[in-house]
Amino acid sequence: MPKDTGIGASTKRREDVRFLTGRGKYTDDIQLTGQAHAAFVRSQVAHGEILSIDTSDAEKMPGVLAIFTGEDFVDVGGNPAGWLINSRDGEPMKEPKRPVLAHGKVRHVGDAYAAVIAETAEQARDAAEAIAADIKELPAVTNMAQALAGAPFVHDEIATNQCFDWGWIEDNRAATDEAIRNAPHVTTLELVNNRLVPNAMEPRASTGDYDPGTGDYTLYTTSQNPHLTRLLISAFVLGIPENKLRVIAPDVGGGFGSKIYHYGEEALVLAAAKKLGRPVRWTATRSESFLTDAHGRDHVTKIELACEKDGTFIAFRTETMANVGAYLSNFSTATPTFLHGTLMAGNYTVPNVYVNVKAVFTNTAPVDAYRGAGRPEATYSIERVIDKAARELGLDPIAIRRKNFVKPDQFPFTSAAGLEYDIGNYDALMDKLEELADFGGFAERRKASEAAGKLRGLGINSYIEACGIAPSNLVGILGSRVGLYDAATVRVNATGNISVMVGAHSHGQGHETAFPQVVGEMLGIDPASVDIVHGDTSKIPFGMGSYGSRSLAVCGSAVVRATEKVIAKAKKIAAHMLEASEADVEFAEGNFTVAGTDKSVSFGEVALKAYIPHNFPLDSVEPGLEETAFYDPANFTYPAGGYACEVEVDPETGKVTVERFTACDDFGNVINPMIVSGQVHGGIGQGIGQALLENTVYDENGQLTSASYMDYAMPRADDLPFYTVDHSCVTPCTHNPLGVKGCGEAGAIGSPPAVVNAVIDALQSGGHNVTHIDMPVSPSRVWAAMNNA
Amino acid sequence: MATIKMTVNGRERSGEAEGRTLLVDFLRQELNLTGTHVGCDTSQCGACVVHVNGEAVKACTMFAAEAEGAEVVTVEGMANPDGSLSVIQQAFQDHHGLQCGFCTPGMIMSAAALLKDNPKPTEAEVRHYLEGNICRCTGYHNIVKAIMAASGQDVSAVAAE
C-alpha cells in the first residue's frame, strides 16, 4: 500500500497555494527596474518581398527608444533545426536560414520583420503601427500537394518546397510492397490529421536584461527547457557565450510543446537590452500566439493495412505529407519522422511496415511537436484503418486488435518499425477497458439513445507511444544534434533539509510535489523538507527540459542516481561516526545502523556532520553532502493503453456529444496517482478537442482564418464529460530505476481515434454507410456525410 | 493620464491610467496585482475575471476609468482573513483543479460568483457557467469536481481524482 507521503501517494500539490492566491510569478509578472517594452511588426501577407521599410515616422513617436529590422541581424546566426533528416536517396534535408527578423522576404502571416522598443508597451505598439513597409505581395502556397507541384516557392533556393523525402525503414520497402500486393485483403484509408494551435493559456513572453558592468545577459522567458534555449541562442543565434547568458523560465502557464522552441523574440529582447542598457520586455497577444507559436500535427496521409481474411495483420504502408510551415522549428523534422514512423507498427506483431514522409514548406506558421508529437498521428492512422478493416471483414474491433497484439511473453519485442518495446501487457489493458467502460451495457445505452432519437456509437483505440525521450546514442544515429539525457543535483543542507536542482521544467506537471516524494521515500524523510529548484540555468546543473513525457523517466532517474550517491557518501560519514566498517552500515527509513548492534545515527545527524566536519575522515571523504547525476536512458519507455469513447450523434444536426470516455493506461509505476490522472484528463480534453472542435484554417492566400478564440474552437467545460481513468495495469519499465514510463501525452494520443471510431460506429448503426470523416468531426461534416451516404 | 481611485480587496488604491487603459492592465501594472491574468485579446478566455461591485467581470472588458470608485476584488483578495485558503481555493487544491495555474485566478473568481448565485449547482450548471473560462490543462474534470465539492456536494462518486 502507498505510504502517506512517498511513492504512490496522492499528495496534494504544494505549488497550488501560490497559484490559487494569485502569487504565481509568470514572465509577464516580473517587473525589472527601468524596463522598456518591445512590439513587433508582422507581415500581413503570407508571402512577400520586402522592398523597403520606412521607420522615420515611428522614430519620432513618443517614448520610442530603438527600432530594429531584419537588416540588423543579417550578420548573426539563424534558429536551427535540431534534427537532421536524410532523404531516401541519402540527400540531407533542406534547411533554410530562420533569421531573428525576416530579411528580404516574409514567408507567413505573422512573420516579424521589425521591432520597436519604447518606454511603454502602448507606445511600442503605437510606433509599430507607424512603420511603413513596402512589401510586394507574392503568390502564396498553403496546400501541401500544391506546394510539391511547383511554384510558388517558399524559399527561392528550394525549388521543390520539399524539405525531405524520408523512408522508414527503407530496406523494408520492397518486402512491404510485395506483402500488400499478395495480401488477401487490403484496407485503404486517406485521412487528414488536422492542424492545431497548442494554445497554452499563458501567451509567450520574454524579457531580456544586460549588465554592462559584467557583460552578463539574463533572459526571462516562457520556456519548457531553459538550458536548450540558452544553447540555441549561444551556439547558433547570437553567439553570447553560455557562461554570460542566464536563462530563467519562471512559472510557465502551460506549454504542450509550443514552449520547447527558441523563437526570434527571445533573441530580439536580448539584443535590444544590450543596445539600450535597459531590460526589454515583450509579451505576446493571443493573436500573435495564433500567428507565430509553432502549430501541431498537419499531416495528410494514405495508409494501407494488408491482412488475412481472419484479421491477421500482414503489413502497414503509409504515405504522409507533413507540413513544416515556412521555416524549420527546432524539432519540426523529428516529429513526422522518428516520433511517427517508428511507431507505425502500433501494439501489433505485424511483420511488415513501411512509412514514407515528405516534409513540405508552405507559407504558414512553423509546425512542430505538440502534445504527443508524431505519436498521435501514428496512432490515429493505425487505429482508424484497423477499425475500417474490421468492418470490411465483419470482425469485432476488439477481437481484431487482440488477435494481433504483442503478447506479454514476447517482450522484449522488436517491432517491424524498428523499436524494441521492453515490456507491456495490451490484453490486460483491454480487459480492464472492457470492464470499466462497461461494454456489456452498451447495447442498452444505445437503445435508450435511439429511443430519444439519437444515434449512439462506441469506439475503441489501443495506443503505444515511445516516451522518455531519449537515448542519446540512438537519437544521435537518427540525426539528432543534441543528446537527450537529463541532470539533477541533490544538495543536502547542513540542517538536513534538501534542495534538488532538476533539469526538467514544471509548467503544470507538479514536479515540485512529485519529485520530493521520490527523494523523501529514498531517504526516509518527510518530502516536505525537500524542495525542487528548476527553470534557471544559473541554479541547476544542466537539463534538456520537459517534453516527450520525459520529466520523471529521465530527469527523475537522474534524481534517483544523485540521491543514491548522496546515500553512498552519507554511509561513509555514518561509518566513521559509528566507528564501524562501511560494509556493516545499513540505511533504512532515514537511519544508518550497524548490523547486529543498536548503534544508529539519523540522516540529519550525518548531514550536520558533513558540514561541521570536526573529527571527520578528511583523508577519504570530502566535507559537504551534495551530488550530481546525469542520466541517459537505455531505451525509450513505452506507455500503452486502451481507450473507449461513447458518443451520441444528433441525426437532425450532426452534432456529436461525448457521453462516456474511459482511459486505461499502463504508465509503469506511478509516483502520484492524482497528478497522473490529471495529466490524462488534460490530454483527453485536448484529444477530444482535436477530434470534434479544433481546426486551423489558412485560406488560399495564406490568411489564418481561425486566429482567435472567436474562430478557433477551444474545448470548453460544457463540451466535455467526466472521464473514467485508470492506471492500475502496471508493467514497470525495465530499464529505469523507478520503473516509470511517462504520462503527459497519452491522453492526447489515445483519444482522437476512439472518438472518430465512435462517430463512425454511431452513423453505421443508423444505416449510414460512412467509413470516414476527417477531424474535426464537426456537425456540418457529420451532417454532410450522413446525407451523402 | 488621469488618477483613478478604487477599492481593491478592501483597500483604497489609486494609480495613473490613460483613457484606453483596461482595468486588467491597471490592476497588473499600476497596482502590481499580477494574479489577474491576460490570456487572450478577445474577451474569451476568462483568465482576467475579477469582481466589480459584487459581479464577476472580465477585467479586459472594462476601462480602468469605468471602475473609478468601485469595489474590486481580485484573486489576491480571496483567501480567508488569516491567509488560509478559502473553501473554493481549498477545494481546487484538494481535487487537483489546477495544473499550470494560469487560468486558475479566473476560475476561482468565476466559481465564487457562481456559488454566490447558485449554492448547489448541478454538473451541467457548472459546465455551462464556465463557458467563458478556458483551461487547457485539466480537461475541466477536476475543475468541475472542485466547484461541486466547494458547494458541499459529495463528489466521491465522480471518477478518480
Side-chain angles (χ1 to χ4, degrees), chain A residues 10-62:
Chain A
S10 282
T11 306
K12 305 302 174 206
R13 298 199 329 167
R14 62 178 71 178
E15 45 271 77
D16 289 356
V17 175
R18 69 177 187 271
F19 297 138
L20 286 163
T21 55
R23 294 192 177 83
K25 279 281 171 264
Y26 301 87
T27 298
D28 189 66
D29 299 339
I30 296 167
Q31 299 268 2
L32 300 182
T33 306
Q35 173 175 283
H37 296 263
F40 288 82
V41 189
R42 300 184 183 279
S43 178
Q44 300 192 8
V45 299
H47 196 191
E49 187 182 347
I50 303 171
L51 300 175
S52 66
I53 300 175
D54 181 356
T55 61
S56 54
D57 286 348
E59 284 161 17
K60 296 175 207 139
M61 303 270 293

Side-chain angles (χ1 to χ4, degrees), chain A residues 294-378:
Chain A
H295 294 176
R297 316 284 191 257
D298 206 350
H299 285 195
V300 175
T301 292
K302 176 185 171 190
I303 183 166
E304 293 157 286
L305 165 57
C307 51
E308 304 287 355
K309 294 287 186 193
D310 70 357
T312 303
F313 298 164
I314 299 169
F316 284 110
R317 182 169 65 190
T318 304
E319 287 173 36
T320 286
M321 287 185 294
N323 199 338
V324 291
Y327 303 98
L328 295 181
S329 178
N330 302 137
F331 279 116
S332 61
T333 53
T335 302
T337 54
F338 293 107
L339 297 174
H340 165 247
T342 56
L343 273 303
M344 285 305 296
N347 312 47
Y348 308 108
T349 54
V350 57
N352 300 289
V353 170
Y354 178 74
V355 184
N356 174 240
V357 178
K358 294 181 176 71
V360 186
F361 291 106
T362 60
N363 293 113
T364 65
V367 180
D368 207 324
Y370 164 64
R371 200 171 198 168
R375 290 148 292 169
E377 294 90 319

Side-chain angles (χ1 to χ4, degrees), chain A residues 138-303:
Chain A
L138 301 170
V141 62
T142 57
N143 174 285
M144 287 189 276
Q146 286 171 11
L148 289 176
F153 301 117
V154 179
H155 298 272
D156 297 335
E157 69 277 21
I158 305 170
T160 57
N161 287 320
Q162 182 172 284
C163 178
F164 57 74
D165 174 5
W166 178 81
W168 186 257
I169 298 171
E170 199 55 27
D171 288 349
N172 293 353
R173 184 188 184 111
T176 304
D177 288 349
E178 178 77 9
I180 289 176
R181 227 179 351 261
N182 297 328
H185 184 87
V186 178
T187 297
T188 304
L189 183 61
E190 294 185 27
L191 53 85
V192 172
N193 205 293
N194 43 327
R195 185 179 182 119
L196 304 172
V197 181
N199 272 309
M201 291 315 297
E202 179 202 22
R204 287 193 292 118
S206 302
T207 302
D209 195 11
Y210 177 73
D211 182 342
T214 60
D216 289 340
Y217 293 82
T218 304
L219 175 68
Y220 299 81
T221 192
T222 49
S223 175
Q224 301 175 217
N225 30 248
H227 273 100
L228 196 54
T229 298
R230 187 181 71 169
L231 184 66
L232 290 164
I233 293 171
S234 293
F236 294 93
V237 183
L238 294 180
I240 299 169
E242 272 183 283
N243 57 335
K244 305 304 279 181
L245 175 58
R246 174 183 180 186
V247 178
I248 299 172
D251 287 331
V252 173
F256 314 112
S258 67
K259 293 171 182 169
I260 298 171
Y261 325 114
H262 166 56
Y263 292 87
E265 293 90 350
E266 293 171 322
L268 188 286
V269 295
L270 286 169
K274 166 93 184 285
K275 180 170 179 174
L276 296 172
R278 292 173 60 173
V280 175
R281 178 199 286 172
W282 165 77
T283 300
T285 62
R286 179 57 58 186
S287 297
E288 284 182 292
S289 300
F290 269 103
L291 294 175
T292 65
D293 287 5
H295 294 176
R297 316 284 191 257
D298 206 350
H299 285 195
V300 175
T301 292
K302 176 185 171 190
I303 183 166

Side-chain angles (χ1 to χ4, degrees), chain A residues 13 26 28-29 286 677 715 723, chain B residues 28 39 99-100 139-140 161:
Chain A
R13 298 199 329 167
Y26 301 87
D28 189 66
D29 299 339
R286 179 57 58 186
S677 294
Y723 323 108
Chain B
R28 288 180 55 78
Q99 292 183 24
C100 81
Y140 301 99
E161 293 287 349

Side-chain angles (χ1 to χ4, degrees), chain A residues 514-546:
Chain A
F515 283 179
Q517 291 180 249
V518 173
V519 177
E521 172 102 9
M522 290 181 71
L523 295 178
I525 59 172
D526 184 352
S529 63
V530 181
D531 259 11
I532 297 302
V533 179
H534 66 102
D536 185 340
T537 59
S538 73
K539 292 183 179 171
I540 57 181
F542 200 82
M544 296 307 292
S546 291

